[in-house]
Amino acid sequence: MKWFSINGILTEMKRIRWPKAKDLFHDSGICVVFVLFLGIFFFVGVDVATNFISSKLMSIRFGWSDEQVKFAPQVYFLSRTIGALLGAFLLTRIAEMRYFRINIVACVVSLLVLIGVEKDVVNIVCIGAVGFFASSVFSIIYSMALQACPEKANQISGLMITAVAGGGVVTPVVGFAIGTVGIIGGVVVTLACVLYLTYCAFGIKVTSCVK
């Protein structure tokens, strides 16, 4: 379990061949992979941030007790689990990019409703909706990256796993936003991450870099 530590993670990151600037400009496949790397980075940020925000939002907005607010992250994780299971089934019948686009748009709508509507039932449903609609994003982006450069699958796999650091980067930003402008600031940061994922869904065209 030595790898499951700060030193272990840093060691694994040093083994990865990170793309250089000239690689990004001269190899469109590597450029796409780097954009998708940031997609997973921000996806993990959304995942951790939503879990972090959910209980705080219900407490600040509606004065829920410490016992009551535990329900919010439970709804989020349950919805995410259901979404992942359903997604595994639907992705065998629906094109992954179509599924990605439908779900990411629904995720944006859920966060906008969460920002604009202050009703506890609506907010808890929106928290669950974010978990449900974002549940398959990781696997889809990972698949897109492998399709972009299939001959570099091992390098891409290592690169994508390091993107989980997004949870440790986005969450402090969310905390700062909450401390500065209130709970809505944290939701807006989360929305910004989802908007980047929206770009990945609609703005990235994956073509293999195999020559």
Side-chain angles (χ1 to χ4, degrees), residues 122-202:
V122 173
N123 283 193
I124 206 72
V125 168
C126 287
I127 289 168
V130 172
F132 181 86
F133 292 119
S135 59
S136 298
V137 169
F138 183 98
S139 59
I140 293 174
I141 292 180
Y142 186 88
S143 173
M144 290 169 66
L146 291 179
Q147 289 174 46
C149 283
E151 83 287 3
K152 298 179 180 177
N154 289 337
Q155 291 173 300
I156 290 172
S157 296
L159 180 65
M160 292 299 164
I161 292 303
T162 64
V164 299
V169 175
V170 173
T171 306
V173 177
V174 169
F176 176 79
I178 292 174
T180 304
V181 299
I183 191 65
I184 292 302
V187 182
V188 169
V189 172
T190 306
L191 176 61
C193 294
V194 173
L195 289 176
Y196 182 87
L197 295 173
T198 305
Y199 167 72
C200 291
F202 289 91

Side-chain angles (χ1 to χ4, degrees), residues 15-133:
R15 294 177 180 173
I16 296 170
R17 181 189 177 277
W18 297 91
K20 298 178 181 178
K22 65 179 181 180
D23 294 329
L24 296 178
F25 285 109
H26 290 93
D27 192 327
S28 60
I30 291 178
C31 184
V32 168
V33 168
F34 188 71
V35 171
L36 295 174
F37 163 80
L38 292 177
I40 288 186
F41 183 92
F42 287 118
F43 161 74
V44 178
V46 170
D47 185 32
V48 177
T50 305
N51 178 49
F52 175 71
I53 288 173
S54 60
S55 56
K56 288 183 177 294
L57 184 142
M58 302 309 290
S59 175
I60 293 172
R61 272 189 170 178
F62 310 110
W64 282 22
S65 67
D66 291 342
E67 196 63 32
Q68 288 176 313
V69 296
K70 294 178 182 178
F71 180 64
Q74 289 173 356
V75 168
Y76 173 73
F77 283 116
L78 177 62
S79 300
R80 191 180 68 171
T81 301
I82 294 172
L85 294 173
L86 184 60
F89 171 76
L90 292 177
L91 282 169
T92 63
R93 290 161 172 77
I94 303 174
E96 65 176 16
M97 290 308 300
R98 182 184 179 191
Y99 190 76
F100 187 12
R101 290 167 180 168
I102 292 171
N103 278 269
I104 208 66
V105 169
C107 196
V108 170
V109 172
S110 299
L111 286 168
L112 290 174
V113 173
L114 188 62
I115 291 171
V117 179
E118 295 191 18
K119 292 185 178 180
D120 55 357
V121 175
V122 173
N123 283 193
I124 206 72
V125 168
C126 287
I127 289 168
V130 172
F132 181 86
F133 292 119

